[in-house]
Amino acid sequence: PNEINIHKTISKILENRKLSVNNGIGIDWSTAESLAFGSLLEEGYPVRLVGQDSGRGTFSQRHSVLRNQINNSRYIPLNNISKKQKNFEIVDSFLSELAVLGFEYGYSLVEPNTLTLWEAQFGDFANGAQVVIDQFIASGERKWSRASGLVMLLPHGYEGQGPEHSSARIERFLQLCASENIQVCVPSTPSQIFHLLRRQAIRKMRTPLVVISPKSLLRNPIAVSNIDELTKGQFKCVINDDIEDPKSITKIVMCSGKVFYDLVQKRNDKKLNNIAIIRIEQLYPFPYDDLEEILTKYQNVNEFIWCQEEPLNQGAWFSHRHRIQRVLDRLGEGNEVNLVSRPAAAAPAVGLMKLHLQQQEDLVNEAIF
């Protein structure tokens, strides 16, 4: 409403969102997330999002709570869609991951029809709530037959920041995976997070969802979606490369997360037409059949790579090497997946920009060349 005197910078952001929807192109991550929440609210599903700066968004990207510049009053657009909608509750929590995540887990049990989300300021901060993850979220259904649909949003990505602001410790969650107890997904496009959040609320099963969320992709001009990708289709556990002639491909690089965009840029810059880059967006439960269906299309491949930004002793490699290999074994004898990663390290990230950039360049070069 015009009487809500929001900051001019926020006004510009909202105008750009409106423009992207009207034009049907260039929909960014935060817009897709808002559309997921808004459509769920309209369809009868309450949404509750709690985290340390969730209203604005840690990276100043969400802006779910608008402040009147005149009197500092709050206005929440997602609670002003229609009279029939459900309630959107968004809370800036205090700095105790243990207490807050524990409460949200309990909330998800007593309000199973609500899409309940806990967001870490950085994915690393889930360290402070590890006991809740181990004792309740990952094992609660097996121990007590209590199903939870809790979503954990964990910002993750190697952008040259320090060890406390880089890694959501994917390896820890994957180590907890068994008997389809939790879901671990790494969506890389706005349409993927749109469908993933809606899937979590609408489908009948209730299983905790760990979303390895982006940081730089929130504003990457390449990481955008068209409106048709939201209004049609569904969440893709594996995303194939856009290759005109699969027979020309001799090398396949598999990955998850933002490293995909670095790999594509390097491949395109060097005009290497023999490489396909495939994204595994759901790490667990592992999409064996989806991956096999895609790989079967490539008949002339003689090299398979798993590329991860994380160090060798971290990330998805140790938990997923045998899963990828199992798919390759189905395709025929002699196929073997090899790793490209940062060197093994005691800390998640080096925390020195110059060294980080060198590592990233070496990583991408090794995967592509």
Side-chain angles (χ1 to χ4, degrees), residues 279-329:
R279 284 168 279 179
I280 301 179
E281 304 265 298
Q282 180 170 292
L283 291 173
Y284 191 87
F286 192 77
Y288 293 100
D289 293 340
D290 292 356
L291 182 58
E292 182 179 4
E293 181 181 353
I294 288 174
L295 293 181
T296 302
K297 299 176 182 178
Y298 300 94
Q299 298 294 322
N300 299 318
V301 177
N302 53 38
E303 186 177 6
F304 295 90
I305 299 291
W306 170 257
C307 179
Q308 64 179 37
E309 291 188 300
E310 300 83 14
L312 181 152
N313 59 323
Q314 300 168 39
W317 173 244
F318 281 117
S319 63
H320 275 52
R321 177 181 183 178
H322 70 283
R323 294 188 169 106
I324 296 172
Q325 189 61 52
R326 176 175 157 187
V327 175
L328 296 183
D329 289 343

Side-chain angles (χ1 to χ4, degrees), residues 2-47:
N2 292 329
E3 61 269 20
I4 307 297
N5 297 285
I6 60 176
H7 194 281
K8 61 181 181 180
T9 302
I10 309 302
S11 179
K12 179 65 175 177
I13 291 171
L14 298 182
E15 284 298 319
N16 287 338
R17 288 185 185 178
K18 185 177 180 179
L19 192 63
S20 69
V21 173
N22 288 339
N23 293 337
I25 58 174
I27 295 175
D28 64 15
W29 195 278
S30 298
T31 306
E33 181 193 74
S34 291
L35 288 169
F37 291 157
S39 59
L40 287 171
L41 294 168
E42 279 280 86
E43 293 171 33
Y45 299 93
V47 177

